[in-house]
Amino acid sequence: MTTPAPRGRILDRNGVAIVDNRPSLAITAYRDLADDPVTVRHLANVLGMPYMAVLRNIQNNTEGRKVPIPLPPM
């Protein structure tokens, strides 16, 4: 799902951009996903990340089960 959120550019007095918009991607996964190695492996392949890195990111949820945790941006 894409959510556009342009903030606008910030220009210096010469019209040169100091701050600009850029896309930032994030994925959220429930901790329960760690119990399904096939899905974790598929997610790792889609993200281009090692399986264990994705699994650790999902398991490093200190909020408890059924709470979404953001994975690092791609």
Side-chain angles (χ1 to χ4, degrees):
M1 179 160 90
T2 303
T3 305
R7 304 286 193 268
R9 299 170 67 196
I10 299 175
L11 309 175
D12 68 8
R13 65 181 173 184
N14 298 316
V16 177
I18 305 172
V19 178
D20 205 350
N21 290 315
R22 67 174 176 82
S24 180
L25 305 174
I27 295 176
T28 303
Y30 287 108
R31 187 175 179 186
D32 293 18
L33 184 68
D35 299 333
D36 184 354
V38 173
T39 303
V40 174
R41 185 159 310 282
H42 180 69
L43 182 58
N45 289 337
V46 169
L47 295 174
M49 294 175 61
Y51 172 84
M52 289 306 295
V54 172
L55 184 62
R56 276 194 305 272
N57 277 313
I58 294 168
Q59 291 173 333
N60 284 342
N61 178 8
T62 58
E63 300 295 321
R65 290 179 118 36
K66 296 293 184 187
V67 176
I69 54 168
L71 294 174
M74 298 180 357

